[in-house]
Amino acid sequence: MTKEIPADQSSAVSPLAPVGGFPELPAIDGVTIATGASGVRYHGRDDVMVASIAPGSSVAGVFTRSSTRSESVRDCEKKIALAARTDQSGPFGLLACAGNANTFTGTHGRDCVELTASALGRKLGTSARRVFTAFTGVIGERLPVERVLATLDGLDLAHGAERRPDGFERAAAAITTTDTFPKGAGRRIPLGDREICIAGIAKGSGMIAPDMATMLAFVFSDAKVDQDLLQRLVGTANEATFNSTTVDGDTSTSDTLIVAATGRSGVEVSERDPAVLDSFGAGLECVMLDLAQQVIRDGEGATKFVEIEVRGGASPESSKRVAMAIANSPLVKTAISGEDPNWGRIVMAIGKSGEAVDPDRLTISMGDTLVASGGESACPPDEIERTLAAYMRQPEIRIVADVGVGSSAATVWTCDLSKRYVEINADYRS
């Protein structure tokens, strides 16, 4: 029997939740948000989010590389590839539903994607080819699609109360599963007497080692950006943000990041104007990094937010693989959870990465304390137990390792692995 999830779960306070609660995001001209309650898995809360994105917009996306990815992901991949070549007369649509991944259910899953995309397309007066769907939740259970369709019928995107510029918080809450707080980030980019706005929401807490993005993330801007350029910008920003995070080393079947630019600000982002291009690219990366780090702060059972920087690598890719080896090590993560300054586990994780390392030049610091250098301990035992043990009690931990073979660097973000993580995932559907 499936356990009922409390209706107020997504409003619970995480010990690592951003201070101040959900941020005030800029309204994005050309984007309308609506939410509704289908009862697919959760009761007493909205679990369906719909967005209407104005005609003439460009849409880009990156998705999970999982070989068992969901039917929605496969469908979105095809539609993103065609986005620049389809009829631009109608709006784009986006539908996300929490509680069921609509994954590994055969033809039923494919039928659900087609039915929901067609239904939203009719509602928006656009082709189903311009509607993207995303589902998140339990894998292998059939989606009760009739509940989602009934919810769509009840939404009034044109005139209803859901049509509001402050709908991002409701949308962010509607797509959550095991999240303990809704995630949103936004930026206003001044450009003389003009301005570009960017706003995004995300969900994710566990099964996070994206290999593309996070579980679900949707970012909107009023900038005018060619679809091919937007796709390149999203791919670049993704590598430094969502693809540089991990909670538990597991890549979801449903990972989806979609970015839409409506063009309603009148500010064109193009390679002909490097200043505007750089400002938009930096703003997009800033929003995506904010969302990605919120996902890590909300890692299932997380009590520590951990930044890991690896320097002196043979290449940026090599540095990142070393950093991820540290970030994904259960022994490193449980030591951090237990506030144990056991830096030997970091040495182990670096060694198992398979990347080039010079043990005699390897240095490791935790916070401001150098713990390893020259192939041995650089910190007296009494200082480890006094200074470093106190540091490990902080909610945010920084680890820096220099592997001594080159000049490249990479930074990734993770969280600890606590007893609560085991409890959450042992009870997820039972």
Side-chain angles (χ1 to χ4, degrees):
M1 181 177 179
T2 300
K3 176 184 287 186
E4 289 294 334
I5 307 296
D8 64 348
Q9 173 179 306
S10 62
S11 65
V13 177
S14 164
L16 297 177
V19 176
F22 196 85
E24 182 178 346
L25 304 187
I28 304 300
D29 191 7
V31 176
T32 301
I33 301 283
T35 63
S38 72
V40 163
R41 185 174 180 83
Y42 308 107
H43 299 285
R45 52 157 278 195
D46 287 356
D47 58 3
V48 171
M49 184 277 286
V50 169
S52 174
I53 304 164
S57 300
S58 56
V59 180
V62 288
F63 306 91
T64 181
R65 294 172 183 160
S66 169
S67 59
T68 55
R69 58 194 181 278
S70 74
E71 295 300 335
S72 286
V73 167
R74 295 176 190 276
D75 184 63
C76 285
E77 288 174 323
K78 295 175 185 176
K79 290 173 177 176
I80 288 290
L82 294 172
R85 295 180 290 280
T86 56
D87 177 18
Q88 295 293 304
S89 61
F92 283 103
L94 172 63
L95 179 148
C97 180
N100 186 299
N102 193 38
T103 300
F104 220 74
T105 57
T107 57
H108 177 80
R110 290 189 287 275
D111 290 344
C112 289
V113 172
E114 293 176 7
L115 286 168
T116 52
S118 296
L120 183 54
R122 288 192 298 272
K123 194 172 189 70
L124 299 179
T126 194
S127 167
R129 292 176 299 174
R130 295 172 67 80
V131 175
F132 303 92
T133 63
F135 295 87
T136 179
V138 177
I139 296 169
E141 290 186 358
R142 287 194 166 202
L143 174 73
V145 68
E146 67 284 350
R147 297 184 185 180
V148 180
L149 296 174
T151 303
L152 285 177
D153 286 341
L155 296 180
D156 187 350
L157 276 154
H159 305 103
E162 296 89 354
R163 191 169 190 250
R164 55 180 70 179
D166 61 346
F168 284 117
E169 183 170 7
R170 296 175 64 197
I175 63 176
T176 59
T177 52
T178 58
D179 306 58
T180 63
F181 59 89
K183 301 165 181 67
R187 293 293 184 277
R188 296 181 182 273
I189 304 171
L191 297 164
D193 60 351
R194 302 176 298 169
E195 180 182 69
I196 292 175
C197 294
I198 305 174
I201 61 173
K203 68 83 53 180
S205 188
M207 202 184 291
I208 303 293
D211 203 18
M212 54 59 61
T214 186
M215 291 190 69
L216 296 182
F218 309 116
V219 180
F220 309 95
S221 176
D222 57 9
K224 181 176 178 59
V225 194
D226 175 78
Q227 197 268 343
D228 288 338
L229 176 58
L230 183 62
Q231 186 67 49
R232 294 201 303 272
L233 290 170
V234 170
T236 298
N238 178 61
E239 282 304 311
T241 59
F242 291 119
N243 260 9
S244 294
T245 63
T246 180
V247 167
D248 47 25
D250 286 335
T251 298
S252 169
T253 61
S254 306
D255 292 345
T256 297
L257 165 64
I258 290 177
V259 179
T262 68
R264 293 294 186 89
S265 69
V267 179
E268 183 174 3
V269 176
S270 75
E271 293 173 316
R272 296 187 300 274
D273 191 336
V276 172
L277 177 64
D278 290 346
S279 294
F280 177 77
L284 178 64
E285 183 172 321
C286 188
V287 168
M288 289 169 58
L289 182 59
D290 193 337
L291 292 172
Q293 290 188 352
Q294 287 184 54
V295 170
I296 297 306
R297 291 180 182 278
D298 197 23
E300 290 171 339
T303 66
K304 309 285 186 184
F305 176 79
V306 186
E307 180 176 275
I308 300 168
E309 181 182 359
V310 171
R311 304 170 181 167
S315 67
E317 295 77 15
S318 176
S319 298
K320 187 172 181 179
R321 284 190 285 269
V322 174
M324 279 295 193
I326 300 169
N328 281 322
S329 167
L331 289 179
V332 172
K333 292 161 76 72
T334 50
I336 293 172
S337 180
E339 301 178 341
D340 177 12
N342 188 349
W343 56 267
R345 293 183 175 182
I346 301 173
V347 174
M348 173 278 300
I350 292 171
K352 76 168 185 177
S353 70
E355 297 300 315
V357 178
D358 184 340
D360 292 329
R361 299 180 65 187
L362 173 65
T363 64
I364 300 172
S365 297
M366 302 178 74
D368 295 328
T369 304
L370 180 68
V371 296
S373 180
E376 60 183 355
S377 173
C379 189
D382 60 336
E383 185 176 346
I384 288 179
E385 294 308 319
R386 183 179 67 256
T387 305
L388 205 53
Y391 175 71
M392 296 299 291
R393 291 194 287 271
Q394 302 299 312
E396 299 196 7
I397 304 297
R398 176 171 164 80
I399 297 169
V400 178
D402 190 318
V403 296
V405 296
S407 58
S408 295
T411 302
V412 305
W413 297 270
T414 189
C415 59
D416 59 334
L417 190 61
S418 69
K419 294 178 182 178
R420 182 61 182 145
Y421 177 88
V422 177
E423 293 170 355
I424 289 169
N425 285 283
D427 293 339
Y428 184 59
R429 64 172 303 278
S430 61

